Amino acid sequence: MIRDITLGQYYPADSILHKLDPRVKLVATITFLVALFLINSWIGYLVATVFLVSVIRLSKVPFRFIVRGLKTIFIILLITLVFNLFLTPGDRVLVQIWKLKITDRGLHTAIFMAIRLIYLIIGSSLMTLTTTPNDLTDGLETLLGPLKKLHVPVHEVSMMMSIALRFIPILLEETDKIMKAQIARGADFEHGNLIQRAKNLVPLLVPLFISAFRRANDLAMAMEARCYRGGEGRTKMKPLIYTGKDYCAYGILLLFLAAIIAVRVLL
Amino acid sequence: MEERKEMITADKLAYNYIKYDEEGREKEKIRAVDGVSFEVEKGDFVAILGHNGSGKSTLAKHINALLTPSEGTLWVNGMDTSDEKNLWDVRQSAGMVFQNPDNQIIGTIVEEDVGFGPENMGVPTKEIWERVEESLKAVNMLKYRHHSPNKLSGGQKQRVAIAGVVAMHPKCIVLDEPTAMLDPNGRKEVIRAVRALNQVEEITVILITHYMEEVIYANKVLVMDDGKVVMQGTPREIFSQVETLKSYRLDVPQATLLAWELKQAGLDLPDGILTREELVEALCRLY
C-alpha cells in the first residue's frame, strides 16, 4: 500500500539515541560536521571513528541501513578521490602513468577527503535515521526560536513542513489514482522520449494541482474552525523538555569536541 | 452570565456570494441563504436537510463564524457572530466537522491531531493530555491514539475529527455532511458517536445531511430549499408530509415511504412511521 511508505529514512528502534531530544541530535550533528573539518591528523580521525562507531552501536540501527546513505554520494566520492589523487602537487612521486602522477601528498589528501565525506554522510544520516521528521521540525522550531525576534516566521515554516509531511502520502495516493484513471482513458506514461514523456505528464499534473489547491483550501478552513491563529499564544501538547540523558549527551559532545581541538592544537 | 436556553438564534439571516469579473466589478450576486430565522436550544439534536445547493453548508459556516451574515443576525451562545471580537469565542463554542476526513486532520498522529484545537486555545500542556484522552474515549478511538491517521478507515478518521472538536470543549458541534464520503459501516460509527455526544455529554448537535436514516434520531428537523427554511418540526411531523418533501426533491426513509404507499393503497396506518420496527408493529396491530 502506498500509504504505508515511511518518509525520510527513519528507522524505528528502541534505543537511547531515538529517545534523545531532537535539539540535542541537531546540535550534535552540526558539531560533528564542524569537528570533521577541524581534523588534520590521523589521531583526530581515530577519535572521530571511536565516537562514530560507539554512536552507531548505541543507535541499534543495522549497519547496512547506514551504508545505504553512501550510495547516493558514491559518484561524488569517486570524483573527489580521483581529482585529489592525481592533481595534488607533492614532493615525492609515487606512481607515474603517462602525464598523471600520484604524489605522497595527493594520496594523503585523497584519503583524508574521502574519509571526511563518508563520515559526513554517516553522521547526518544517523540523525535522520533516529529522528522522525516531525520531531525534527519540532526541534528546528525550538532551536530557531530566537530568530522570531528578527521577524523570521519560524512557527509558520515548521507548521508548513509538518503539514507537507502529512499530505505527502495522501497526494501520492491521489497521483496513483489519477494516473490509473488517465491510463484507463488511453493516456501513455511509459513510451516515447524524454520530452514526449514530460508532455504526457500534463494530464496528470493538472488534476493533481487542482485537487491539491482544493485540499489546501479545505484544510485552511478546518484549521481556522479549530481556532488556529498562528504561533501567538499557542501552547504545546508535547513540549520539548531536556532530561538527564540529554544533558549527559551534551556533556559527551563537549568532551568529543574538546578532544578534537586538543588533538589539532597539541599535535 | 444568565443561563439562557437557546444555543443558536438566527434572525432573518441572509448571505450573498458575490462573483466578480476581471475588472473586479460585481458581476453576479447569488443569494445562498435567504432570510432564515430559527432557534436551536441547548442540548438539541437538530438535523438540516436539503438538496444540493439549498444553502445548508453556507448556513453551517455561519454558525462557526467562517462566514458572517450579509443581512440579519446570528447569535451563538449569546454572542453576535458578526462582531470581530467574539470570533474566537464563537469558534470555540461551536466546533465544526467537515465532509472530507482527509482534509481536516492536521496532525501526523491521532493524538496530536486531537490536541491541535486545545493547543491553539492556549490550554496548559497537562490539561491538553487530559482533554485528548477523554475526547478520544468519547468517540471510542482511544486505542488508536498512536496511529497515523493515514492508516485509519473513513469512519475512524471522521471520529478522530469529531474528537478534535470535542477536545475544545464546545457547547455545540456543527457537522457538515460528515458521512457523505463514508461507507455504510463508517456512517453508522459516526452517527453512533454523534448521538453519544448529544446524549451523554449533552452537547448541542447540528447535523447537516442528505441521508434520511440519520435524521430520525434528531429532535428537530429543518428542511432548506433555495436558501430558505421551508419546513420545521420533529422528524415525525416532517416525514408525515411525504408529498411536500418530494416537491423539494428529498426522499423519506424507506420504512416511511413503504408505510405511505401502503396507506395510499388503503391500509389504515398512522402518519409518520420512521423505523422498520414501528412499521412492523403498526402492521401487526392491523390484523
Side-chain angles (χ1 to χ4, degrees):
Chain A
M1 273 292 283
I2 206 158
R3 282 205 171 186
D4 288 337
I5 57 151
T6 46
L7 290 167
Q9 41 175 359
Y10 179 67
Y11 179 85
D14 184 32
S15 81
I16 182 125
L17 218 62
H18 284 76
K19 284 186 195 131
L20 278 184
D21 192 295
R23 286 173 293 179
V24 179
K25 285 186 267 189
L26 276 165
V27 172
T29 313
I30 295 164
T31 317
F32 184 70
L33 299 189
V34 171
L36 278 179
F37 285 92
L38 285 175
I39 291 170
N40 60 355
S41 67
W42 293 110
I43 300 178
Y45 272 130
L46 193 68
V47 176
T49 312
V50 169
F51 179 75
L52 197 60
V53 168
S54 34
V55 171
I56 291 174
R57 292 299 292 277
L58 276 179
S59 74
K60 291 186 186 165
V61 178
F63 194 65
R64 63 193 162 86
F65 274 90
I66 296 167
V67 181
R68 205 187 272 171
L70 290 176
K71 267 190 212 155
T72 47
I73 61 143
F74 183 72
I75 293 182
I76 303 174
L77 197 66
L78 209 68
I79 294 172
T80 335
L81 204 67
V82 169
F83 272 74
N84 275 310
L85 202 58
F86 291 107
L87 297 176
T88 319
D91 321 318
R92 214 149 47 90
V93 176
L94 297 177
V95 187
Q96 181 147 19
I97 313 159
W98 184 51
K99 270 186 183 168
L100 298 167
K101 49 192 169 201
I102 299 174
T103 64
D104 57 341
R105 285 252 317 275
L107 191 66
H108 191 79
T109 353
I111 295 176
F112 251 56
M113 284 306 286
I115 296 179
R116 192 171 278 168
L117 261 176
I118 292 171
Y119 280 19
L120 214 106
I121 296 299
I122 292 182
S124 41
S125 49
L126 253 182
M127 177 182 71
T128 47
L129 279 165
T130 59
T131 323
T132 58
N134 252 338
D135 279 350
L136 266 184
T137 29
D138 260 11
L140 268 176
E141 182 183 352
T142 344
L143 272 183
L144 300 179
L147 287 181
K148 270 182 206 157
K149 293 211 175 72
L150 300 172
H151 297 290
V152 179
V154 178
H155 166 79
E156 283 72 13
V157 169
S158 89
M159 177 59 82
M160 270 156 60
M161 271 165 73
S162 48
I163 288 176
L165 283 171
R166 153 141 169 71
F167 274 88
I168 286 171
I170 294 178
L171 288 180
L172 272 177
E173 196 182 48
E174 185 131 341
T175 316
D176 195 50
K177 232 186 260 169
I178 298 172
M179 209 164 189
K180 279 183 186 138
Q182 303 288 37
I183 289 173
R185 289 175 176 79
D188 182 8
F189 296 113
E190 273 149 26
H191 297 100
N193 59 27
L194 204 63
I195 296 166
Q196 262 170 340
R197 269 204 229 184
K199 268 187 190 161
N200 288 346
L201 280 182
V202 172
L204 180 68
L205 291 179
V206 172
L208 191 64
F209 265 90
I210 291 175
S211 113
F213 278 118
R214 191 169 296 148
R215 274 181 201 282
N217 193 23
D218 278 7
L219 189 74
M221 196 151 67
M223 284 170 78
E224 248 189 277
R226 279 162 80 182
C227 291
Y228 181 71
R229 53 194 127 163
E232 212 97 328
R234 216 165 170 263
T235 43
K236 289 229 154 212
M237 184 183 179
K238 296 175 175 171
L240 295 173
I241 298 162
Y242 285 129
T243 56
K245 58 182 183 301
D246 298 311
Y247 291 118
C248 200
Y250 270 134
I252 293 169
L253 196 64
L254 216 61
L255 274 179
F256 165 71
L257 193 65
I260 292 286
I261 294 172
V263 167
R264 188 187 164 100
V265 174
L266 297 178
L267 297 172
Chain B
M1 214 166 87
E2 63 172 316
E3 191 62 31
R4 55 181 80 240
K5 238 174 91 191
E6 63 274 9
M7 185 68 223
I8 296 163
T9 315
D11 183 28
K12 299 196 192 73
L13 177 81
Y15 185 79
N16 304 322
Y17 277 110
I18 297 168
K19 274 192 182 167
Y20 295 97
D21 60 9
E22 284 97 68
E23 276 109 50
R25 275 178 310 211
E26 214 178 294
K27 195 172 80 180
E28 209 185 338
K29 219 188 220 177
I30 299 161
R31 210 165 167 84
V33 176
D34 190 6
V36 166
S37 302
F38 65 93
E39 232 170 60
V40 176
E41 280 175 22
K42 270 185 186 154
D44 266 355
F45 187 141
V46 177
I48 301 182
L49 282 176
H51 201 258
N52 282 344
S54 59
K56 52 193 196 311
S57 283
T58 312
L59 180 64
K61 282 175 194 154
H62 276 86
I63 300 171
N64 192 259
L66 285 168
L67 297 174
T68 47
S70 311
E71 287 161 40
T73 0
L74 180 71
W75 287 278
V76 173
N77 202 22
M79 293 174 283
D80 184 349
T81 59
S82 32
D83 193 342
E84 190 82 21
K85 70 175 196 293
N86 288 337
L87 184 65
W88 304 109
D89 288 328
V90 169
R91 286 196 182 153
Q92 194 254 309
S93 10
M96 185 142 182
V97 177
F98 297 88
Q99 184 180 35
N100 189 332
D102 273 330
N103 295 357
Q104 55 182 321
I105 292 180
I106 294 113
T108 32
I109 296 173
V110 166
E111 59 177 16
E112 279 177 11
D113 182 70
V114 178
F116 181 75
E119 277 182 332
N120 290 337
M121 288 157 55
V123 175
T125 302
K126 202 174 144 257
E127 207 193 320
I128 296 182
W129 283 93
E130 287 163 10
R131 286 186 179 204
V132 167
E133 195 161 328
E134 66 180 38
S135 23
L136 279 174
K137 212 180 274 170
V139 296
N140 201 13
M141 284 293 289
L142 195 59
K143 59 175 182 285
Y144 295 97
R145 63 185 303 170
H146 298 299
H147 283 232
S148 152
N150 290 339
K151 288 180 188 167
L152 301 178
S153 75
Q156 289 171 329
K157 273 188 257 192
Q158 207 57 296
R159 281 189 286 158
V160 170
I162 293 172
V165 170
V166 173
M168 294 167 71
H169 288 182
K171 304 249 173 11
C172 163
I173 299 185
V174 184
L175 301 109
D176 188 359
E177 299 194 32
T179 56
M181 297 178 77
L182 307 181
D183 57 20
N185 265 335
R187 228 179 282 157
K188 262 183 222 149
E189 284 169 19
V190 169
I191 293 301
R192 201 178 302 140
V194 171
R195 287 182 66 199
L197 287 177
N198 180 243
Q199 281 160 4
V200 182
E201 318 269 327
E202 291 174 350
I203 298 174
T204 313
V205 170
I206 296 177
L207 176 69
I208 293 174
T209 183
H210 46 227
Y211 287 108
M212 299 305 138
E213 280 72 18
E214 294 167 2
V215 175
I216 56 179
Y217 304 115
N219 58 8
K220 191 175 176 189
V221 180
L222 299 180
V223 179
M224 285 191 74
D225 187 59
D226 206 16
K228 295 187 184 70
V229 172
V230 285
M231 291 167 89
Q232 267 194 65
T234 63
R236 221 169 281 279
E237 286 163 12
I238 299 287
F239 288 132
S240 52
Q241 306 170 47
V242 176
E243 266 162 343
T244 328
L245 275 174
K246 276 190 170 167
S247 73
Y248 296 124
R249 292 171 292 171
L250 287 170
D251 285 328
V252 291
Q254 262 179 351
T256 316
L257 187 66
L258 180 60
W260 183 75
E261 299 266 0
L262 287 172
K263 208 176 155 187
Q264 298 296 90
L267 282 184
D268 181 26
L269 287 169
D271 269 336
I273 284 175
L274 297 177
T275 60
R276 198 184 298 175
E277 288 75 30
E278 282 175 16
L279 179 62
V280 171
E281 207 177 299
L283 283 173
C284 288
R285 218 176 291 137
L286 280 181
Y287 298 103

